[in-house]
Amino acid sequence: MAKKRVSFLEWGILLLFFLPAAGIVWVIGAGIYHVGHRLLHRQPLFLRQPAPFFFLTLIFASIGACIQSWKPIYLLVPIMILGYLGVYLYTREEDTAWKSQNFRHILIVGSLYMAIVGQIQLHKGYVYGGNWWLGILIGMAPLGLEESGRLFGSAYNPNFTAFILLLGLASLIANILQTIKSEKKQSLFFFLYIGLMFPIMLAIVQTGSRTGVAIMVLLLTLFAWKVSRLVAITLGTVSCILLAYTGTFSSIIPRFDSMVQSFETRQTIWKYSIQVWNNSPFFGVTPLGFQQAYAAFEKTGITHAHNLFLGFFCEYGVIGGTAFLLFTGSYLYKGIKLFVISKWKEQQMAFFFFTLPVLPLTGILDHPLISPQTALIAIMLLGSWERAIPAVQHDSIPNSFQKSLLCKKQAEAASIK
């Protein structure tokens, strides 16, 4: 039975890349089934823990927004979030369901597929024959894309594609570090992973996402730092001097000419998004209602706040926004604590070290998690990380420190006697 459930979810995750619309329905349906299965068998949902409590808060806020606005269509939002909760619980709790290695490979395969499809888009145009419904099914119908010539693969929007490609790049970097530090000789895989990095990096640049390119540079810098700090400092210094001397910053920053105008547009969106939140401060307007609420201030077809943190306040009000801040804070504290304690376990935690920062950093100037496709991938990443934490913490303390703790406890016990 367990094997069937694992296969069912894994096929759904692959569909998130190849047939996104079907994959979204598939994986959310699997999540709802898992919640129902737990309730039927009277198993806990761990609603007092940060992530489940966060999802429960979003469900409550979206139901409140539906009642407040009297729009039954908004009920799709709590149903979707219920699926998110189920996917999180499943990826976190089922030992046989997920291993970070499997998830890493799926991210790499999906990213490469998007990069390849994106090249076809850039050179051949629409690859779905102009049929809008077919484009929605395979993720190749552009949504919210105002500029032509930007790669968006099978994620509907270049910014969403950049988010997924960055996770794929981070996964490759983690694999490369693993091969470098592995006791077994894996030179073939080392060169394979290095080679696969280039099409993904090229695709990130071709998305035209300035945030994506900046995060890509950050990931590569951290990668070099992990391999050799001296090499990283030398390469970074030389690169900055050459770029400053030759004045080629504009050639490596996508859409450099429109950067100032784009930032001014972002400021306008944020200003009116705050007004949207002011009009519905308690429950928000839900992701489905944002565009209509925003149109009351500026009729430009803006569908989200283009900022992850502001987006949650607009869509789920002060209830969901505050819960998101607490949720983010708990993960930040847990992440810093874990990576400091398990510094000597870098090989084991490299995947999470490189992938997790992508989530908040891409949300500074955008809101990629507004898409269920990207949100589900992020939830699986968090769930698999949560499942890996106990094992890492158990092995993270070095033997010398364990011995000192044991001696201390023995001394305390002796003093009590």
Side-chain angles (χ1 to χ4, degrees):
M1 182 66 182
K3 291 184 178 179
K4 291 182 179 179
R5 291 170 62 190
V6 172
S7 176
F8 184 83
L9 183 62
E10 289 183 352
W11 278 111
I13 293 166
L14 286 172
L15 285 178
L16 286 175
F17 297 98
F18 296 95
L19 294 172
I24 290 170
V25 175
W26 186 306
V27 178
I28 288 179
I32 294 174
Y33 170 81
H34 185 65
V35 172
H37 182 270
R38 295 189 67 85
L39 292 175
L40 185 63
H41 292 80
R42 297 182 179 180
Q43 296 176 345
L45 298 179
F46 305 104
L47 297 179
R48 293 184 179 181
Q49 296 183 6
F53 175 77
F54 168 65
F55 290 123
L56 178 66
T57 303
L58 297 188
I59 291 174
F60 174 76
S62 56
I63 292 176
C66 179
I67 296 174
Q68 181 176 311
S69 62
W70 292 103
K71 293 183 178 180
I73 190 66
Y74 289 179
L75 286 175
L76 291 175
V77 176
I79 293 174
M80 177 185 69
I81 298 171
L82 185 65
Y84 289 174
L85 173 61
V87 170
Y88 170 81
L89 292 174
Y90 189 76
T91 54
R92 176 185 173 179
E93 297 168 12
E94 297 291 335
D95 294 334
T96 59
W98 273 104
K99 293 181 179 179
S100 60
Q101 188 76 7
N102 296 339
F103 190 32
R104 196 184 310 176
H105 291 157
I106 290 177
L107 283 175
I108 294 172
V109 171
S111 300
L112 288 172
Y113 171 74
M114 288 193 173
I116 294 171
V117 169
Q119 300 304 320
I120 300 175
Q121 289 171 340
L122 293 178
H123 294 92
K124 301 294 183 181
Y126 296 145
V127 296
Y128 56 92
N131 186 315
W132 190 81
W133 288 107
L134 177 60
I136 290 296
L137 176 63
I138 63 178
M140 298 180 189
L143 299 179
L145 180 59
E146 299 177 355
E147 300 170 278
S148 59
R150 297 181 63 184
L151 182 148
F152 59 90
S154 60
Y156 304 103
N157 184 280
N159 294 327
F160 302 161
T161 304
F163 172 82
I164 296 175
L165 291 171
L166 286 168
L167 293 180
L169 177 63
S171 303
L172 280 171
I173 291 175
N175 280 359
I176 294 171
L177 289 174
Q178 184 175 354
T179 58
I180 292 175
K181 298 181 180 182
S182 176
E183 296 179 357
K184 299 179 180 179
K185 293 183 179 180
Q186 297 178 321
S187 57
L188 178 62
F189 287 102
F190 173 80
F191 289 109
L192 174 63
Y193 296 144
I194 289 290
L196 294 179
M197 286 178 62
F198 289 99
I200 292 180
M201 289 190 295
L202 174 62
I204 292 174
V205 175
Q206 291 174 328
T207 61
S209 171
R210 289 178 286 262
T211 303
V213 171
I215 297 174
M216 180 183 72
V217 172
L218 174 62
L219 291 178
L220 294 175
T221 303
L222 292 175
F223 174 44
W225 184 266
K226 288 283 188 179
V227 175
S228 172
R229 296 184 179 182
L230 178 60
V231 173
I233 294 174
T234 303
L235 289 177
T237 303
V238 172
S239 299
C240 290
I241 293 174
L242 288 176
L243 289 173
Y245 180 76
T246 58
T248 55
F249 277 108
S250 59
S251 62
I252 64 173
I253 300 177
R255 301 179 294 135
F256 180 81
D257 295 336
S258 61
M259 187 165 61
V260 175
Q261 179 183 358
S262 179
F263 185 71
E264 292 176 350
T265 302
R266 284 288 194 277
Q267 289 181 308
T268 302
I269 294 174
W270 295 340
K271 180 181 69 174
Y272 290 132
S273 295
I274 293 175
Q275 295 299 319
V276 170
W277 176 36
N278 287 337
N279 288 349
S280 301
F282 198 63
F283 296 116
V285 296
T286 78
L288 295 178
F290 181 88
Q291 183 174 356
Q292 182 178 356
Y294 186 92
F297 305 98
E298 186 183 28
K299 298 183 182 299
T300 53
I302 300 298
T303 57
H304 59 88
H306 286 78
N307 179 275
L308 182 63
F309 299 93
L310 180 57
F312 272 98
F313 278 94
C314 293
E315 295 158 13
Y316 302 101
V318 68
I319 297 177
T322 304
F324 178 70
L325 292 180
L326 295 174
F327 172 69
T328 305
S330 68
Y331 266 90
L332 182 62
Y333 169 76
K334 190 182 299 183
I336 293 175
K337 179 181 177 181
L338 183 63
F339 288 122
V340 169
I341 291 177
S342 60
K343 185 177 180 181
W344 43 87
K345 289 287 182 180
E346 291 177 352
Q347 177 180 343
Q348 189 173 359
M349 296 301 295
F351 172 62
F352 302 110
F353 178 82
F354 283 96
T355 53
L356 287 175
V358 175
L359 274 63
L361 291 177
T362 53
I364 295 175
L365 296 175
D366 205 9
H367 188 359
L369 300 186
I370 191 69
S371 168
Q373 180 186 21
T374 54
L376 286 168
I377 294 173
I379 290 168
M380 293 171 202
L381 175 62
L382 293 176
S384 60
W385 181 53
E386 284 278 9
R387 197 190 63 256
I389 286 176
V392 174
Q393 288 180 331
H394 179 73
D395 297 331
S396 60
I397 303 177
N399 292 331
S400 59
F401 190 53
Q402 288 180 353
K403 290 180 180 179
S404 64
L405 286 178
L406 180 61
C407 293
K408 184 177 180 181
K409 289 182 180 180
Q410 290 176 347
E412 290 177 354
S415 62
I416 293 175
K417 291 180 180 180

